[in-house]
Amino acid sequence: MIEILFETIAMWLRTIARIGAMASLIFGLVPAAAQEATRPNIVLILADDVAFTDFGAYGSEINTPNIDALAQRGVLFTNFHATPMCAPSRAMLMTGVSSHRAGVGNLPETTPVEHQGSPAYRGYLAPEVPTIAERLQAIGYRTFMTGKWHLGHSEETLPSARGFDRTFILDATGGDNYEDRPYLPIYEEAPWYADGEPVGLPDDFYSSEFLVDQMIDFVGSPEEGEPFFAYVAFQAIHIPVQAPREFTMRYQGVYDDGWHVQRARRAAAAHALGVADSDAPIGPMHPDLRDWDALSDEDRAFYTRAMMVNAGMLEAMDYHLGRLIAHLRETGAYENTIFIVTSDNGPEAGSPLDTANGALSLWLTGYTAETENLGERGSFGFIGPEWASAAASPHALFKFHANEGGTRVPLIVAGPGVSDGIMARQLSLISDIPATIATLAGAEVSGITGRSLVPALEGGEEAVYGPEDGFGIESAGRRAYYRGRYKIISNGPPYGDNVWRLYDMENDPGETRDLAASEPQVFAMMLGEYERWAEDNGVLETPEGYEPIKLLVDNARGILMRRYWWVLALAGLVIIAPIVLLVYRRRRKRRATA
């Protein structure tokens, strides 16, 4: 009875909120900008683990014509940042505040036990922090989402309870792109939800195609005066990297020269396009990464195919995005739609075949990693740290690291009121996107700490964050603080040592020269500002010896032991039984001889 009472109260509160929104529209309580002009539709496209130079407009060899066309008729940002990890970035994208204020300071799967219980590390969006969907819903927008959520899977924390009218979402770090099954053994199932209810997937499912199909169905044929907010969070190009063969095979021969050559090619293309400074040194590959020429022929064939699949998956995403754009053209909504395209962090460097635990996980989840069928149904594609380093060029490192390779990502905005074909070089952050959307739509912005990018979209060159302004990012102990031209950074193992370093981002975005010793006053000031920012946002120090991936593996090992104990017992029996039988026979023989 109590649960029914609470549900009834919640329903009435939502109804009252919607009535309030309508009253605002009717009686002129909506900001004047929203009344004076036709409010734009907003299409927010979030790619997963897409590197700074992965789109053609940024210098990639990957075919992304629909995204590139948006860049040609809009604004391309060259100094835009996310956090090094998906869920914290997505929390900022939805709320416009720091990931810790939003309650998602780390992935739920990699949060140390010492942080559990802290408001900054709940693993789901804080109920007191409104989402951009709730802000838009309150002023009459229809709101839709398809794709990866990963910000809560209870009834109260799914997107259907956080401002979205229609949803078809996955609440996990990722999932298979062809089938209704988990991609990691830490999950018992792939948690897909439709409008808040658990749901299965069709037999002909392919993630990029299906997510666009669902969004086209949600949007329908928009009527004038009914603006919509459509958020498509693609699984491309998160592991398992999977693509239909026809897309993969378009990249035959492209990656045969290996990651060192590819890294140089990406940097040269970015320099030629002007999205990166040609005078700045290229960020180095980490010394622990492998030399392409030292690989066996078999390994070179595998990793060449892996990068082909990666490119194919991103091209497939762009192709299906093109179908959504075509639908908006056909229905007459295109001209009044603002498109925002970005990524949640840098490229994924995970390589499950490098460890026995990873290989066991693939076996237990039923995946293969054979070169010939890599990327197709039942296979587990990945590019590994070397290709990730090449994709992040001209920057250093990749996802799970606070270097520019892990945090500097593409951002393209196009649509009515947005300047045509220009580059915005202002320092900016993923929490600025909700502020920008709210400003464009005429929604409430109070409580948002991110800053509006509208002046930059109109062609202005003034800084989003002035020389005296600073902001921090932190996830899983990967830390950075930006202020003016400077950045301090500290990464944990395996590719970091938790030592703070200082870099000049204007002259050295590749982070090749540590200035901590030569500019001690700047370094001390930056470190002090980071510590104040961390305290204000509830950031906790990570425990000694903490590594997020190691914790994930340890947790997975425990889950595997509990779930597959019978497999291990059977394997042990198969190994031990012959030994026991041999010992038994020898003892019998000795007794008979005696």
Side-chain angles (χ1 to χ4, degrees):
M1 291 296 294
I2 294 176
E3 292 179 356
I4 294 173
L5 177 61
F6 282 147
E7 287 180 6
T8 303
I9 293 172
M11 181 185 71
W12 277 106
L13 288 174
R14 287 193 293 268
T15 303
I16 290 169
R18 288 179 181 273
I19 292 172
M22 291 301 297
S24 295
L25 291 171
I26 295 169
F27 296 110
L29 301 179
V30 174
Q35 299 178 54
E36 293 170 0
T38 302
R39 291 173 298 167
N41 307 310
I42 309 289
V43 173
L44 174 59
I45 302 298
L46 184 65
D48 203 327
D49 296 349
V50 165
F52 179 70
T53 53
D54 266 341
F55 294 144
Y58 283 83
S60 177
E61 71 293 339
I62 301 172
N63 187 34
T64 55
N66 293 294
I67 292 172
D68 298 347
L70 293 175
Q72 290 169 5
R73 60 178 285 260
V75 178
L76 181 153
F77 286 76
T78 65
N79 197 10
F80 178 76
H81 296 78
T83 79
M85 300 172 75
C86 60
S89 293
R90 290 160 192 268
M92 295 170 72
L93 180 65
M94 285 293 97
T95 63
V97 301
S98 79
S99 57
H100 302 82
R101 286 182 183 271
V104 191
N106 198 339
L107 303 184
E109 295 83 357
T110 57
T111 299
V113 65
E114 292 87 346
H115 292 178
Q116 294 172 13
S118 166
Y121 300 89
R122 308 177 206 220
Y124 59 86
L125 290 182
E128 67 273 14
V129 178
T131 68
I132 185 60
E134 289 170 322
R135 293 175 185 272
L136 295 180
Q137 193 181 61
I139 61 169
Y141 270 73
R142 297 184 300 143
T143 54
F144 314 118
M145 179 185 174
T146 62
K148 176 175 160 182
W149 174 244
H150 200 210
L151 297 173
H153 58 264
S154 69
E155 184 179 350
E156 299 80 15
T157 58
L158 285 169
S160 50
R162 297 308 313 263
F164 288 96
D165 297 322
R166 298 295 312 278
T167 64
F168 200 113
I169 64 96
L170 171 70
D171 184 57
T173 54
D176 193 274
N177 295 284
Y178 290 109
E179 300 177 74
D180 189 1
R181 65 162 170 166
Y183 79 111
L184 289 178
I186 60 172
Y187 303 117
E188 291 189 8
E189 60 182 1
W192 285 94
Y193 296 86
D195 297 331
E197 297 295 329
V199 67
L201 299 176
D203 292 338
D204 60 350
F205 174 81
Y206 179 69
S207 63
S208 293
E209 180 179 21
F210 181 82
L211 297 177
V212 167
D213 284 345
Q214 291 297 304
M215 187 55 74
I216 288 173
D217 182 58
F218 289 165
V219 170
S221 298
E223 296 183 11
E224 189 173 349
E226 289 188 357
F228 64 83
F229 171 53
Y231 173 34
V232 184
F234 285 101
Q235 290 175 222
I237 43 180
H238 192 282
I239 56 174
V241 181
Q242 298 168 318
R245 178 177 282 262
E246 61 267 27
F247 286 99
T248 295
M249 300 313 290
R250 294 173 186 178
Y251 294 90
Q252 282 186 307
V254 174
Y255 301 109
D256 290 357
D257 294 329
W259 37 68
H260 303 294
V261 172
Q262 176 65 14
R263 183 167 176 74
R265 285 173 179 164
R266 282 282 186 96
H271 293 158
L273 289 170
V275 300
D277 185 357
S278 59
D279 294 328
I282 299 174
M285 285 186 71
H286 195 277
D288 289 348
L289 301 186
R290 294 169 293 183
D291 188 327
W292 177 261
D293 293 332
L295 298 182
S296 66
D297 291 344
E298 183 181 5
D299 282 346
R300 280 198 293 269
F302 174 85
Y303 283 104
T304 298
R305 183 58 169 263
M307 198 59 170
M308 290 169 58
V309 176
N310 187 75
M313 189 177 188
L314 191 58
E315 182 175 341
M317 185 201 86
D318 180 89
Y319 170 80
H320 290 294
L321 171 59
R323 294 194 303 110
L324 175 59
I325 293 172
H327 173 75
L328 297 179
R329 288 184 186 275
E330 292 168 3
T331 59
Y334 176 81
E335 295 299 331
N336 191 41
T337 299
I338 293 175
F339 296 88
I340 302 171
V341 183
T342 189
S343 175
D344 58 351
N345 45 244
E348 169 65 63
S351 185
L353 292 183
D354 288 348
T355 65
N357 285 324
L360 178 62
S361 294
L362 290 189
W363 179 72
L364 289 172
T365 49
Y367 282 106
T368 65
E370 303 297 330
T371 301
E372 180 55 32
N373 72 335
L374 197 65
E376 297 170 34
R377 185 182 294 267
S379 73
F380 195 103
F382 61 92
I383 63 173
E386 293 84 8
W387 278 129
S389 184
S393 181
H395 303 128
L397 287 181
F398 27 70
K399 178 181 176 179
F400 284 109
H401 298 82
N403 297 80
E404 296 297 282
T407 61
R408 192 179 297 210
V409 295
L411 172 64
I412 294 167
V413 184
V418 178
S419 296
D420 287 344
I422 67 170
M423 290 185 185
R425 304 189 184 279
Q426 293 96 324
L427 175 66
S428 45
L429 185 62
I430 197 165
S431 55
D432 298 334
I433 290 180
T436 305
I437 293 173
T439 301
L440 290 168
E444 180 60 59
V445 297
S446 63
I448 294 178
T449 57
R451 301 189 176 187
S452 173
L453 302 177
V454 169
L457 298 181
E458 295 173 343
E461 298 183 358
E462 60 269 29
V464 178
Y465 295 87
E468 304 301 317
D469 299 329
F471 62 77
I473 56 175
E474 188 276 343
S475 57
R478 279 66 173 145
R479 306 171 287 181
Y481 191 82
Y482 294 81
R483 185 179 190 269
R485 67 189 298 164
Y486 291 103
K487 171 189 178 182
I488 57 170
I489 179 177
S490 169
N491 283 313
Y495 297 112
D497 53 13
N498 288 315
V499 173
W500 282 101
R501 293 175 172 82
L502 171 68
Y503 296 107
D504 179 348
M505 287 289 100
E506 288 187 9
N507 296 311
D508 186 25
E511 299 163 311
T512 64
R513 298 184 297 271
D514 179 12
L515 304 177
S518 60
E519 300 194 37
Q521 292 181 326
V522 173
F523 179 70
M525 175 194 67
M526 296 281 287
L527 192 57
E529 291 196 5
Y530 170 82
E531 290 170 349
R532 286 190 289 275
W533 172 85
E535 183 177 0
D536 289 344
N537 286 276
V539 179
L540 300 178
E541 288 291 323
T542 54
E544 186 175 354
Y546 168 76
E547 293 183 36
I549 300 303
K550 183 177 182 296
L551 178 62
L552 182 64
V553 170
D554 289 344
N555 290 340
R557 187 183 298 115
I559 292 170
L560 291 175
M561 290 291 291
R562 292 190 296 273
R563 192 179 300 160
Y564 297 104
W565 63 267
W566 58 272
V567 175
L568 299 175
L570 183 60
L573 184 61
V574 170
I575 295 171
I576 294 172
I579 298 174
V580 172
L581 182 59
L582 180 61
V583 171
Y584 173 73
R585 286 177 175 175
R586 285 183 176 179
R587 286 185 176 178
R588 284 193 62 185
K589 186 175 181 180
R590 286 175 184 170
R591 288 174 183 169
T593 303

